[in-house]
Amino acid sequence: MRDSDVPVKTNEGRDEIEHRTRKLPPMLRSILLIVDGERSARHLRELAVSLHGPADALEQLEQMGLIASSAAVAASLAATPRAPAAASSGATSAPAPAASSASAQRYQALYALMSEAVREHLGLRGYFLQLKIERCASSDELAALLPELSAALAKVRKDEVAARIEAQFAAGA
């Protein structure tokens, strides 16, 4: 993976976060958790080194199929024809294709806003909240976390900053 690539979690990566089926070493799991589709591979490598993780952590996660370059994901989605929605009824571990594009867009907007708010305003204090966000498979589940996120933001930021961020969520929701 090139330094300029932006890694994203695959469905398998999201499943691993939720179910821990592969029993990843704690350091690799921590690095998987901070892959958010916005940080470059270079930035993530720097974070991995600062966490005393392996220098090839991103490559290990990529080989396991837990992360991929966002460009590679976009290319594979463009090349793969859409199949009818015949997914198994019990698959809720990943943000699978939603019943409607509006629901999928709402999920993506809320996920991005919430992850960005945790990263920008809570930092490491928001680690467990970010885990909860990662486990959400629908926009309704994300919306249910909004009060908890708002409370956490109000603790670390002034109330007017928290109110401004909540207004962004309302617009995205």
Side-chain angles (χ1 to χ4, degrees):
M1 188 172 294
R2 297 184 318 245
D3 281 350
S4 60
D5 288 345
V6 177
V8 295
K9 289 180 192 80
T10 62
N11 287 341
E12 291 83 12
R14 292 183 196 280
D15 187 57
E16 174 59 27
I17 288 170
E18 185 173 347
H19 299 292
R20 298 179 182 226
T21 54
R22 298 179 190 224
K23 309 245 187 277
L24 288 176
M27 190 53 57
L28 278 181
R29 180 172 169 74
S30 294
I31 294 168
L32 177 61
L33 287 168
I34 61 174
V35 172
D36 60 4
E38 294 187 20
R39 295 182 178 118
S40 69
R42 179 180 181 182
H43 186 187
L44 289 169
R45 282 189 186 101
E46 291 169 357
L47 286 171
V49 168
S50 71
L51 293 171
H52 307 292
D56 66 339
L58 292 179
E59 287 71 20
Q60 288 182 38
L61 292 171
E62 187 176 32
Q63 286 175 347
M64 289 182 222
L66 301 176
I67 65 170
S69 164
S70 59
V73 171
S76 72
L77 287 176
T80 305
R82 291 279 177 185
S88 65
S89 61
T92 59
S93 63
S100 73
S101 64
S103 176
Q105 289 175 345
R106 181 173 183 247
Y107 172 86
Q108 290 296 330
L110 279 174
Y111 177 85
L113 283 170
M114 293 173 79
S115 293
E116 182 179 341
V118 168
R119 184 175 48 260
E120 284 185 21
H121 301 289
L122 300 178
L124 287 176
R125 287 174 274 177
Y127 179 77
F128 290 108
L129 186 55
Q130 184 64 39
L131 288 176
K132 290 179 182 179
I133 292 169
E134 291 291 334
R135 288 185 184 119
C136 292
S138 71
S139 56
D140 292 336
E141 291 176 7
L142 287 173
L145 280 179
L146 285 175
E148 186 175 344
L149 177 58
S150 295
L153 290 171
K155 284 182 183 178
V156 297
R157 299 285 180 225
K158 294 182 180 175
D159 287 335
E160 59 268 8
V161 173
R164 182 173 41 87
I165 294 169
E166 285 180 40
Q168 284 180 319
F169 293 143

